[in-house]
């Protein structure tokens, strides 16, 4: 993991914090519901500084605040928020988290897996559990200040992520005994109908759910789950599943997502994270990095993903990640990965399909 340069002394709190990001799969729940509003949807994705081709890239990382702002807008189009969140299942999680959940022996083990790997899904969300003899309470919180306008969507993001894990053991009709909301507003009628057996408590310090402690012992008895086929580990590991979030890492992940927009200008990057170009440069300098270096890291990381597609020519991969000269791409790739793009692809083919 990249470390800040000590010569700058104690870094500001802003410098130390990564950019909050989230996988595009969560936002795609809303774009699917809005399939009848394609032109409006694309226009508003652009207005929120979000890429317009996210449906094909569920594992791409996008700015969490922009994503939540878009979700709140989409929810108001035809009151679609609940419909979008109710679609969430563990199939929306990334392959490592999903595979590990499917191998969990019981619900308690599955929840522990989710707590450990959730930051790969939602970088700025932390979950904690509180147990009594009869009940279990799980709370989710953000480690950054959430804009008030994003309150409802941010709460349902945490609630439905937890419910998706639990429903894999209880069935799709399960609802918590209690849902605690930080919002002071009472849930809408549609929400109360969907969770008719749930007590809603508003104005709480934390967002969370409560359910009987006996559920933790629910075993994973379904054969298709216990013996689920999981992704074969690649000899060349996927960095996403091993990342530790810091400012350069989160910035690189965002830039990688926006490469397909054919705009990797530093001004766009600064706009996406909500700071000036000078501030962005200063924050990177504290890690002995320049924007050019981060951009190159993002391009090579994106290239490793595209090289997994056998139908893509290496020259096309070079152009797709922003290199005008394929020879420059090959040299940069070997310098950063240690092998040529062709050797990398050969290694992937030797290890079998990579997901």
């Amino acid at each position: 993991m990249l470390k800040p340069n000590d010569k700058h002394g104690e870094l500001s709190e802003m410098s130390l914090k990564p950019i909050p990001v989230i996988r595009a799969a969560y936002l795609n729940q809303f774009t699917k519901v809005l399939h009848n509003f394609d032109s409006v949807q694309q226009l508003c994705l652009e207005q929120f500084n979000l890429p317009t081709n996210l449906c094909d890239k569920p594992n791409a990382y996008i700015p969490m605040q922009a994503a939540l702002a878009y979700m709140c807008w989409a929810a108001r189009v035809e009151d679609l928020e609940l419909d979008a969140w109710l679609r969430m299942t563990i199939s929306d999680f990334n392959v490592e988290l999903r595979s590990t959940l499917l191998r969990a022996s019981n619900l308690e083990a599955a929840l522990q897996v989710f707590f450990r790997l959730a930051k790969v899904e939602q970088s700025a969300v932390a979950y904690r559990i509180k147990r009594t003899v009869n009940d279990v309470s799980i709370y989710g919180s953000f480690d950054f200040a959430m804009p008030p306008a994003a309150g409802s969507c941010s709460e349902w993001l945490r609630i439905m992520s937890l419910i998706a894990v639990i429903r894999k053991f209880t069935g799709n009709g399960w609802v918590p005994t209690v849902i605690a909301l930080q919002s002071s507003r009472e849930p809408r009628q549609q929400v109360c109908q969907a969770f008719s057996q749930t007590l809603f408590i508003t104005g709480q310090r934390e967002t969370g759910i409560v359910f009987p402690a006996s559920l933790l012992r629910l075993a994973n008895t379904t054969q298709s789950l216990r013996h689920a086929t999981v992704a074969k580990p690649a000899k060349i590991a996927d960095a996403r599943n091993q990342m530790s979030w810091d400012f350069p890492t989160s910035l690189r992940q965002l830039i990688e997502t926006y490469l397909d927009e054919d705009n990797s200008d530093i001004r766009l990057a600064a706009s996406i994270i909500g700071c000036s170009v000078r501030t962005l440069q200063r924050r990177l300098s504290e890690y002995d990095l320049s924007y050019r270096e981060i951009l190159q890291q993002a391009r090579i990381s994106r290239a490793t993903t595209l090289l997994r597609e056998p139908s893509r020519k290496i020259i096309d991969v070079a152009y797709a990640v922003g290199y005008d000269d394929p020879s420059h791409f090959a040299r940069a790739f070997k310098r950063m990965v240690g092998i040529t793009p062709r050797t990398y692809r050969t290694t992937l083919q030797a290890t079998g399909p990579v997901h």
Side-chain angles (χ1 to χ4, degrees), residues 35-298:
H35 66 278
N36 292 325
F37 301 88
D38 287 342
S39 59
V40 176
Q41 171 188 310
Q42 181 167 336
L43 175 63
C44 284
L45 283 169
E46 293 172 352
Q47 289 179 343
F48 286 102
N49 254 345
L50 291 166
T52 57
N53 61 345
L54 291 176
C55 286
D56 299 327
K57 299 192 297 183
N59 290 319
Y61 286 100
I62 53 179
M64 182 175 283
Q65 295 194 48
L68 289 171
Y70 172 83
M71 291 174 186
C72 289
W73 167 82
R76 291 195 295 268
V77 172
E78 283 200 357
D79 200 22
L80 298 174
E81 180 181 17
L82 182 63
D83 188 16
W85 286 124
L86 287 176
R87 290 168 174 252
M88 185 183 293
T89 68
I90 69 166
S91 64
D92 297 304
F93 298 160
N94 89 339
V95 65
E96 183 195 29
L97 175 54
R98 183 169 68 249
S99 299
T100 311
L101 285 172
L102 291 178
R103 296 197 302 270
S105 59
N106 56 33
L107 177 56
E108 183 172 17
L111 287 170
Q112 292 299 329
V113 166
F114 180 73
F115 299 154
R116 178 166 54 87
L117 297 179
K119 280 191 175 293
V120 178
E121 300 281 310
Q122 315 155 17
S123 73
V125 181
Y127 294 92
R128 70 178 184 88
I129 186 169
K130 180 180 178 181
R131 298 179 59 171
T132 65
V133 174
N134 297 318
D135 296 310
V136 172
S137 303
I138 303 178
Y139 301 96
S141 59
F142 288 107
D143 62 9
F144 67 98
M146 179 60 58
S152 176
C153 281
S154 70
E155 292 200 282
W156 282 104
L157 165 66
R158 289 167 277 174
I159 291 167
M160 293 310 298
S161 297
L162 291 167
I163 289 177
V165 176
I166 298 171
R167 282 180 172 176
K168 207 58 187 171
F169 290 79
T170 61
N172 291 334
W174 180 86
V175 295
T177 307
V178 177
I179 291 180
L181 299 171
Q182 291 172 278
S183 170
S184 59
R185 293 191 305 172
E186 293 295 324
R188 292 175 290 108
Q189 182 178 359
Q190 296 94 323
V191 174
C192 293
Q193 290 174 347
F195 293 87
S196 58
Q197 304 301 312
T198 299
L199 172 65
F200 285 90
I201 305 177
T202 59
Q204 301 301 296
R205 293 182 62 183
E206 294 181 279
T207 298
I209 63 173
V210 180
F211 57 89
S214 58
L215 294 185
L216 293 176
R217 298 191 294 272
L218 284 177
N220 186 354
T221 56
T222 306
Q223 292 299 310
S224 61
L225 296 181
R226 290 177 65 89
H227 304 290
T229 300
V230 298
K232 181 180 180 181
K235 291 183 180 179
I236 302 175
D238 185 345
R240 285 189 179 89
N241 292 333
Q242 301 181 15
M243 68 174 59
S244 297
W245 292 109
D246 57 17
F247 179 75
T249 302
S250 53
L251 177 61
R252 176 177 60 78
Q253 290 293 333
L254 289 178
I255 294 172
E256 184 178 337
T257 299
Y258 285 81
L259 287 176
D260 287 349
E261 300 289 294
D262 197 27
N263 190 344
S264 54
D265 189 274
I266 188 172
R267 289 170 294 184
L268 173 64
S271 175
I272 289 168
I273 64 178
C275 70
S276 67
V277 169
R278 186 169 182 175
T279 297
L280 173 55
Q281 292 171 326
R282 185 171 63 250
R283 293 182 71 180
L284 285 173
S285 72
E286 292 168 339
Y287 290 84
D288 273 343
L289 287 169
S290 66
Y291 180 75
R292 182 178 179 180
E293 289 171 306
I294 290 289
L295 175 58
Q296 188 174 70
Q297 291 173 10

